[in-house]
Amino acid sequence: MVLHRQMIFWSAALVAAVLLLYLFSGILLPFVAGFAIAYFLDPLADWLERLGLSRLLATLTILLLFVLILVVLALSLLPTLSGQLSSLAERLPDYARALSNLYQSNAPLWLKDLFDVSDQNLSRNLSDVATKGAGWVGTILSSLWTGGLAVINVVSLLVITPIVVFYMLNDWDRMVGMIDDALPRSQLETIRGLAREMDTAVAGFIRGQGTVCLILGSFYAIALTLVGLNFGLLIGLTAGVLSFIPYVGTITGFLMSIGMALVQFWPDWTMVLIVLAVFVFGQFVEGNFLQPLLVGDRVGLHPVWLMFALFAFGYLFGFAGLLLAVPLAACVGVLVRFAVRRYKESPLFLGESAAAPPLLAEDPAPAISEMQRGGPPAPARDEVAGP
């Protein structure tokens, strides 16, 4: 009976949480972004505390440096990026026609038999599609600045997000301690164990995959720009940002850069191969060094499940849903694995009436989250667990 009531309570809490997220999806973005940034920067705050700074001073130092870096990057990159984006939208139809002409004049016959592009209308259709695509992108971009709610979101990102980051980062350990203090004592170790697994999975994506995206985006942008590829900065940063979706960032950046290289450098195959080598090298470094070192298998999500979560949450909650998708999917994955373990240790699976063994190893020590390990000891009453 107790287990039945608990299942009803947590199911109702989950439904209520999803409903609230859906109802307030229009204003979630600055708060979700602030929470994610605070979670990303919390280990740095703990490190500054170990150096002797108070939590408040460490938070102020991190926030000021973070805002300063964002301002410098915005002033240095935004004019170039906006110019490249505008120019790309204008030239997209011409690039589509140029690629079609290259295909018609250089593709082997067997490939033309498979993909017949001899119809002259195809070039015009590609141009029309590119023109409509450019117009769609332009409409979306203009709506960001003219739409009422969109303007509120942009302003809130610039104003509310830093405030959320400050309070979340300053009060992080205290909030986690309060949550831990409110946990039911009979299920304390089980919940702490699940919280540790969730913290490891979420940290693996937000900190690990976030760092991978920053490194890849910087590398692609710098390398493609040095090679002399048109719109190299825009293509490289786009590939890096989209790298948090498995394969999407790599495929998008690869197709955009190779297509641009063919239009720009043809018939110089050397430059096309150099652009190809940039992506081959980037993928080699990511697959053999960055992913194993920074992410590993901590996220614990299959790429298909990850892509489904991103598309589903993005469809339901917009851009805020993209930020929430992987952390929530990782937490759901932890709960599903826990449920599977419990099922396999139950009489329903074993076919015997013996009591199931403990699901998690007894750990008398408090569950300290990954982001707090090595930090100053908390009072005994406020033992903490990962978020």
Side-chain angles (χ1 to χ4, degrees), residues 82 124 345:
S82 61
R124 183 168 61 254
E345 295 174 350

Side-chain angles (χ1 to χ4, degrees), residues 77 80-81 84 221-222 224-225 229 231-238:
L77 294 180
T80 303
L81 286 175
Q84 289 191 3
I222 294 173
L224 294 177
T225 301
L229 184 69
F231 313 109
L233 180 65
L234 178 63
I235 295 174
L237 291 180
T238 301

Side-chain angles (χ1 to χ4, degrees), residues 185-190 192-193 196 357-366:
R185 301 294 100 176
S186 61
Q187 303 293 329
L188 185 61
E189 293 306 321
T190 299
R192 283 176 172 175
R196 278 194 295 266
L359 296 174
L360 299 173
E362 290 295 330
D363 183 6

